[in-house]
Amino acid sequence: MFSESAIAGRKVLVTGGASGIGLACVRLLAAKGARVAINHLPNDSQAEMTVTRLADTGADVFSCPADVGDVAVEAAVTDAIDRLDGLDWLINNAGVGLVREPIPFADLDALSEEFWGTILSVNLLGAFRCARAAAPALREAGGAIVNVSSASAEGKRGTSIPYSVSKGGLVTLTRSLAKALAPQVRVNAVAPGFIETPMTEQRDAQYRDSVAQDCLLKRVGTANEVAETIVFLCSAGGFMTGEVITIDGGRSF
Ligand code: NAD
């Protein structure tokens, strides 16, 4: 599916890259010879161990610790770009749901200002901060950004209203950045449905089965399946920008 030559030697930053969909992107890119800066939360020892293990297997990766929910992430992005000596692709993947069980949409009183603030700052502003810091290098490289939105962006379902709104905002941000950074930089998004990752592992088997039954493909998705589409949007799809690809097994069909 991917041409080795389109990926080898590319300089990439993946936010939230030490687990789930982000880690699947890192593995796929590193296996094809890309050089990858892996962003993760500061003091996340498990993430640091993951980066060390990858580097020990010969992957050309290094750690870029920073909280995308804080404006200080922009300095960390600049540092990563200096270390990479440029940037071809930015994958804005870091995101949080903040809840183990969904907050029913009707329960408006459960949604505190603090909850709204954290979700929007990490899931939406975080992507903007990284894009702003990376824009000069991406323009110079003729690069690409892929934002990880969600099928919940449609507002019909999701773990909470703020989560869905943050992912809907990310779709709008994708289109706005596609316009802002054209013609040098392509900006696209993926909108995954239910994907097996640490984010969804708390959901019980019954719920997972009911989601699978809702999907035309009668199963939930894997992190690798999302990563393949993200890497496609970076390394191919050269005439695509401002687009969102839904990856949900036909659940929203
Ligand atoms: P995950 O929890 O494994 O990955 C999220 C990563 O982001 C984690 O490594 C986490 O430590 C990191 N992160 C969280 N807050 C951060 C911050 N402030 N700064 C830097 N890193 C931070 O879960 P995942 O499912 O792989 O999620 C990846 C992306 O996919 C998220 O944006 C999520 O909203 C989105 N998504 C997931 C699903 C799903 O079903 N798993 C569906 C749709 C969209």
Side-chain angles (χ1 to χ4, degrees):
M1 180 180 180
F2 306 108
S3 97
E4 201 105 349
S5 62
I7 299 175
R10 294 298 189 151
K11 300 157 186 173
V12 192
L13 171 61
V14 183
T15 69
S19 72
I21 293 167
L23 179 58
C25 291
V26 170
R27 287 207 169 105
L28 189 50
L29 289 161
K32 305 275 180 208
R35 176 142 209 256
V36 191
I38 303 176
N39 160 261
H40 56 76
L41 281 166
N43 307 317
D44 180 345
S45 53
Q46 206 177 336
E48 281 161 14
M49 239 155 52
T50 301
V51 179
T52 305
R53 270 200 224 108
L54 279 169
D56 287 348
T57 63
D60 193 357
V61 298
F62 63 90
S63 216
C64 169
D67 179 347
V68 304
D70 188 311
V71 72
V73 73
E74 296 193 32
V77 170
T78 305
D79 285 349
I81 292 169
D82 284 348
R83 213 165 146 187
L84 288 165
D85 194 24
L87 188 70
D88 292 297
W89 304 329
L90 166 66
I91 299 172
N92 277 319
N93 163 77
V96 284
L98 295 184
V99 286
R100 285 167 76 102
E101 288 300 320
I103 300 174
F105 275 21
D107 191 0
L108 302 187
D109 291 335
L111 305 175
S112 66
E113 289 282 326
E114 191 189 354
F115 186 80
W116 268 106
T118 305
I119 292 237
L120 291 179
S121 184
V122 173
N123 294 4
L124 180 54
L125 277 172
F128 174 73
R129 292 178 183 119
C130 295
R132 175 163 60 188
L138 289 171
R139 278 198 168 109
E140 197 178 322
I145 297 176
V146 179
N147 295 322
V148 181
S149 175
S150 163
S152 72
E154 286 192 17
K156 295 180 194 157
R157 55 167 82 94
T159 51
S160 69
I161 290 179
Y163 180 80
S164 295
V165 170
S166 72
K167 295 300 187 176
L170 207 44
V171 169
T172 308
L173 182 67
T174 298
R175 295 181 181 136
S176 307
L177 288 176
K179 186 159 180 166
L181 302 180
Q184 298 97 332
V185 183
R186 295 180 304 106
V187 187
N188 293 292
V190 293
F194 190 107
I195 308 297
E196 304 251 29
T197 70
M199 188 178 268
T200 51
E201 71 189 359
Q202 310 290 344
R203 307 307 300 274
D204 62 49
Q206 204 183 342
Y207 177 76
R208 189 174 311 235
D209 288 348
S210 78
V211 172
Q213 285 316 306
D214 272 354
C215 295
L216 292 181
L217 299 182
K218 300 298 174 204
R219 65 176 179 83
V220 298
T222 67
N224 275 336
E225 287 168 324
V226 181
E228 282 171 0
T229 309
I230 292 171
V231 173
F232 164 80
L233 285 170
C234 290
S235 63
F239 200 45
M240 290 174 69
T241 195
E243 291 298 330
V244 182
I245 298 184
T246 300
I247 310 165
D248 71 348
R251 190 180 184 202
S252 56
F253 183 73

